[in-house]
Amino acid sequence: MRVVILADADSIYCKEYIEYVLLEKYEVLIITGCNKRYRQYYRENGVKVLIWMPPQTLEERLADRISDKIRRDDIFHVHYVEPRILKYFWKPWIKCRKRILTYWGSDLLRLPLKQIRSMWPFIYTANDIIVMDNHMRRKMKAVVSKRKWNSVKSIPLGIPMFDTIDEVSKRMSVNACKQHFELPVDKIIVSVGYNAAREQQHLEMMREVVKLPEELLDKMFFVFHFGYGAKDTAYCRQLYKLMEENNVPYKVLEQFLDKHETSVLRLSTDIFLYGQTTDAMSSSVLECLYAGAVLIKPQWLDYSELKGISFYEYQQFGEINGILENLIEKGIDRMPQNRKPLWEQQSWDVLVPRWKALYKEKANGKRRGKVHMAKRRYR
């Protein structure tokens, strides 16, 4: 059985999905616009990669060329639904016996309904529509009919970083992790957001934090990991200026971190301050929780389906300081108790069977009849 993945082959999430779910059981073909970061890994593991990025004038011929390489008994699985790209893959999509759409987060949560509905031909011919959490599932409910609702399932991607955090924590103490990044061991390390994107709202949060009394600010040290994300230099300059004008100690990590380095950073974090505008449950946030950090997050991001997990929430940015004051006054107590329930809900060990079940259903299913789509037709 072959699984055709339409995704960014350079994404760590694509690579890990293939590693944990597909390797050793399925033949895999990735259709992608780029294959640089993990090219050797795919080659060594027998994963075929088809580069699709064409000149503008060749889009129609490209669709025919890709469709010729697709078998009718393939499973076509889209990871991250991007309308401007997916529309060129109607022919190979509809040719396959089984079709799966997987929304990762921003591809559903940050798009207007009009753009999401432009994918109706794909949505209504998908056997399964996968989202990462119940918040995304509720948004999808506004897009699909009652008849299609049963096809929408919530299955998160597993978090392999849990294993690495376990390994690092056996060899390094929290203070050793702080020293690795030259962070002060006698300060409370507050990580603010997890990338450089403006949507993380670092500036909005820190405008409140700088209002804290000097004696409280002096007990903290702020870390910004800007290793990826759309870097708005003007936005970053505003943030740095705010920190410096208020004499707030901070450090910016601009380098890309591998799994080991990321785990060390997670373990060095005492408080994780989060303010993303909209998002599915973030793996970076869950990694910090797993490493024992105290999470302060906005109520507009729904984490209610996490069972047995402790964290703090605010409705408005102005409430952040009250939470920080309370935490500092009573003493920061890291939260190792979050580790076990997070493993039981978010690890690949637990989630792999649910993903594999999507493909097993094909073996027992019947061949669908010809699909008729009204009004919209893709070339």
Side-chain angles (χ1 to χ4, degrees):
M1 183 189 303
R2 186 171 74 166
V3 178
V4 178
I5 300 284
L6 177 62
D8 176 5
D10 282 351
S11 165
I12 184 63
Y13 301 110
C14 173
K15 182 254 187 187
E16 288 172 346
Y17 181 84
I18 290 168
E19 177 181 348
Y20 282 87
V21 180
L22 300 179
L23 282 188
E24 300 180 1
K25 188 169 179 64
Y26 303 99
E27 182 184 352
V28 181
L29 169 65
I30 309 175
I31 303 174
T32 184
C34 189
N35 180 31
K36 295 180 180 178
R37 185 174 294 171
Y38 304 113
R39 179 183 298 175
Q40 183 176 350
Y41 174 85
Y42 294 136
R43 186 185 301 120
E44 291 174 350
N45 286 279
V47 176
K48 295 180 180 178
V49 180
L50 177 62
I51 305 293
W52 71 268
M53 287 292 263
Q56 289 281 328
T57 55
L58 297 182
E59 284 162 356
E60 193 169 325
R61 272 189 284 168
L62 166 83
D64 290 332
R65 182 169 65 87
I66 290 177
S67 186
D68 289 342
K69 296 181 182 296
I70 300 300
R71 308 167 190 159
R72 292 193 179 276
D73 62 347
D74 283 342
I75 298 174
F76 200 106
H77 193 162
V78 179
H79 274 270
Y80 196 92
V81 181
E82 196 164 354
R84 67 182 180 85
I85 293 174
L86 186 54
K87 66 181 181 180
Y88 297 119
F89 291 90
W90 176 251
K91 283 185 178 180
W93 165 266
I94 207 65
K95 183 177 182 179
C96 292
R97 180 176 181 177
K98 186 174 178 68
R99 299 169 287 274
I100 304 169
L101 290 177
T102 294
Y103 288 86
W104 282 8
S106 60
D107 50 343
L108 178 65
L109 298 176
R110 297 185 197 171
L111 287 185
L113 279 178
K114 183 178 180 180
Q115 277 189 270
I116 298 170
R117 287 171 174 160
S118 73
M119 291 290 98
W120 266 351
F122 291 90
I123 289 170
Y124 279 94
T125 52
N127 299 84
D128 294 293
I129 302 165
I130 310 302
V131 295
M132 296 294 108
D133 55 34
N134 288 334
H135 174 52
M136 293 178 67
R137 195 165 187 262
R138 286 193 294 272
K139 180 156 185 178
M140 184 56 72
K141 195 170 186 177
V143 178
V144 301
S145 66
K146 289 182 180 179
R147 175 177 59 84
K148 195 64 181 175
W149 178 238
N150 288 337
S151 300
V152 182
K153 302 169 183 175
S154 175
I155 312 176
L157 296 171
I159 304 179
M161 197 73 73
F162 287 175
D163 293 321
T164 315
I165 291 170
D166 285 340
E167 293 167 8
V168 172
S169 62
K170 290 174 184 176
R171 301 195 308 269
M172 298 175 69
S173 65
V174 169
N175 281 348
C177 290
K178 292 180 180 181
Q179 289 172 333
H180 180 83
F181 288 104
E182 299 180 342
L183 306 176
V185 298
D186 59 340
K187 302 279 188 180
I188 297 166
I189 304 302
V190 182
S191 288
V192 185
Y194 57 80
N195 66 38
R198 193 184 191 103
E199 290 78 10
Q200 294 278 309
Q201 303 197 101
H202 320 82
L203 195 54
E204 288 80 355
M205 291 186 287
M206 293 311 300
R207 280 177 178 148
E208 296 300 323
V209 172
V210 298
K211 298 175 185 176
L212 282 168
E214 187 177 341
E215 61 270 20
L216 286 179
L217 283 173
D218 192 51
K219 294 179 179 179
M220 294 181 283
F221 189 93
F222 295 84
V223 176
F224 301 88
H225 182 207
F226 287 176
Y228 68 100
K231 293 183 181 177
D232 181 335
T233 54
Y235 172 75
C236 291
R237 282 198 302 271
Q238 271 187 288
L239 177 62
Y240 304 156
K241 183 180 179 183
L242 175 72
M243 303 296 282
E244 288 157 11
E245 286 180 345
N246 290 276
N247 297 313
V248 178
Y250 74 100
K251 183 169 187 172
V252 178
L253 301 173
E254 294 188 331
Q255 68 270 35
F256 177 82
L257 303 179
D258 62 20
K259 289 174 72 171
H260 173 82
E261 295 271 296
T262 301
S263 296
V264 174
L265 180 61
R266 302 289 185 250
L267 287 161
S268 72
T269 298
D270 297 307
I271 296 175
F272 189 81
L273 187 55
Y274 188 43
Q276 177 89 330
T277 52
T278 182
D279 203 0
M281 275 196 292
S282 160
S283 59
S284 297
V285 174
L286 298 181
E287 289 159 12
C288 285
L289 276 168
Y290 190 81
V294 177
L295 171 63
I296 302 175
K297 62 168 283 295
Q299 284 187 353
W300 60 79
L301 298 180
D302 184 8
Y303 280 30
S304 60
E305 65 192 88
L306 286 179
K307 306 303 180 186
I309 307 298
S310 301
F311 49 79
Y312 293 84
E313 288 189 317
Y314 59 88
Q315 286 185 313
Q316 300 176 343
F317 293 120
E319 299 171 9
I320 290 174
N321 286 357
I323 298 172
L324 285 172
E325 287 184 60
N326 181 53
L327 284 169
I328 293 170
E329 284 174 7
K330 72 178 185 180
I332 297 296
D333 186 12
R334 293 176 67 86
M335 296 185 168
Q337 69 271 21
N338 283 333
R339 189 168 291 195
K340 186 174 185 289
L342 277 170
W343 177 270
E344 292 171 348
Q345 296 170 65
Q346 298 288 326
S347 69
W348 271 123
D349 281 12
V350 172
L351 294 170
V352 162
R354 294 175 63 188
W355 283 103
K356 286 187 174 180
L358 297 174
Y359 305 128
K360 289 178 182 175
E361 289 169 8
K362 174 179 179 290
N364 300 320
K366 293 181 180 179
R367 174 72 170 151
R368 292 177 57 147
K370 185 177 180 181
V371 177
H372 297 274
M373 295 301 301
K375 295 185 180 181
R376 185 183 296 270
R377 181 168 172 257
Y378 287 93
R379 291 184 177 275

